[in-house]
Amino acid sequence: MPLATATLRRTRRLAAVSLLAAAALSLTACRSGGDPAPAASSSSAGDPTAADGGAKGGSGSAPGKGVSRTGAGKTAATGGGGQGGASAGNKGVGGTWVGTLKWLTEDKLTVAPKNGMEQAFHLTDSTKALGAAALCEAPDGRVHTDGSGYGTTSCSLADLRKAARLGSVDVRVTVVNGAATKVAEHYHP
């Protein structure tokens, strides 16, 4: 085989391998974009958190893996990529997760579903914390819940952090762009 033909074939192979490597690297960067792996837990079409059942994960999650969408019995996984969900202009994970509240850092907690991966989220000054008994108590000492068994008593972020350090409070967390908008305790009598 002439030298020019062999060189042309090697060049084509090298170009094809380079293209595949670039595509693989691009996919890897998109999947691991600095986000913690999203958890498969509970979700709704609305956003961060919903009723028991499903989850919407962000980039980096395998679509539908261990995730069921509330009320529909279907799997769902959607969301944005990139870290720093609390910052304006940045996209982060969004969805609703049900699981055990856990501590990560002062302004970053996680929710660990019984089945699925743990999902991290940021706390902001606008994060709404709602308790029933373990997260915080109502001033009248009674347990106040909605029809789904989630607390309705307003709690502080300090209460939320304290409960996360305990690692035993079950919650439903709604996340938008990586930041929790609402964390509601699931009441267990």
Side-chain angles (χ1 to χ4, degrees):
M1 165 168 25
L3 183 59
T5 305
T7 303
L8 181 59
R9 285 185 180 169
R10 282 189 209 128
T11 303
R12 286 182 182 166
R13 282 187 199 142
L14 181 59
V17 169
S18 297
L19 181 61
L20 288 174
L25 182 60
S26 174
L27 289 175
T28 302
C30 289
R31 290 201 71 167
S32 65
D35 279 334
S41 171
S42 167
S43 114
S44 97
D47 185 341
T49 337
D52 290 349
K56 279 169 72 175
S59 66
S61 68
K65 196 168 196 175
V67 180
S68 67
R69 190 170 175 191
T70 303
K74 298 180 181 177
T75 58
T78 61
Q83 189 173 358
S87 302
N90 286 340
K91 289 186 177 181
V93 68
T96 297
W97 288 267
V98 172
T100 304
L101 185 66
K102 295 187 176 183
W103 174 266
L104 198 55
T105 69
E106 186 69 17
D107 291 316
K108 196 170 187 180
L109 306 179
T110 67
V111 60
K114 291 182 184 188
N115 296 317
M117 295 175 60
E118 196 168 354
Q119 176 61 52
F121 58 89
H122 293 276
L123 294 179
T124 65
D125 291 338
S126 62
T127 300
K128 188 174 184 179
L130 300 172
L135 191 56
C136 69
E137 290 184 5
D140 63 4
R142 296 178 38 203
V143 174
H144 298 275
T145 61
D146 63 12
S148 300
Y150 288 93
T152 58
T153 302
S154 244
C155 302
S156 70
L157 291 181
D159 293 330
L160 195 58
R161 290 179 179 106
K162 183 178 177 183
R165 287 182 187 266
L166 293 174
S168 61
V169 178
D170 289 334
V171 295
R172 179 179 63 201
V173 181
T174 302
V175 179
V176 175
N177 292 329
T181 58
K182 183 164 90 173
V183 179
E185 173 192 352
H186 187 252
Y187 179 64
H188 297 286

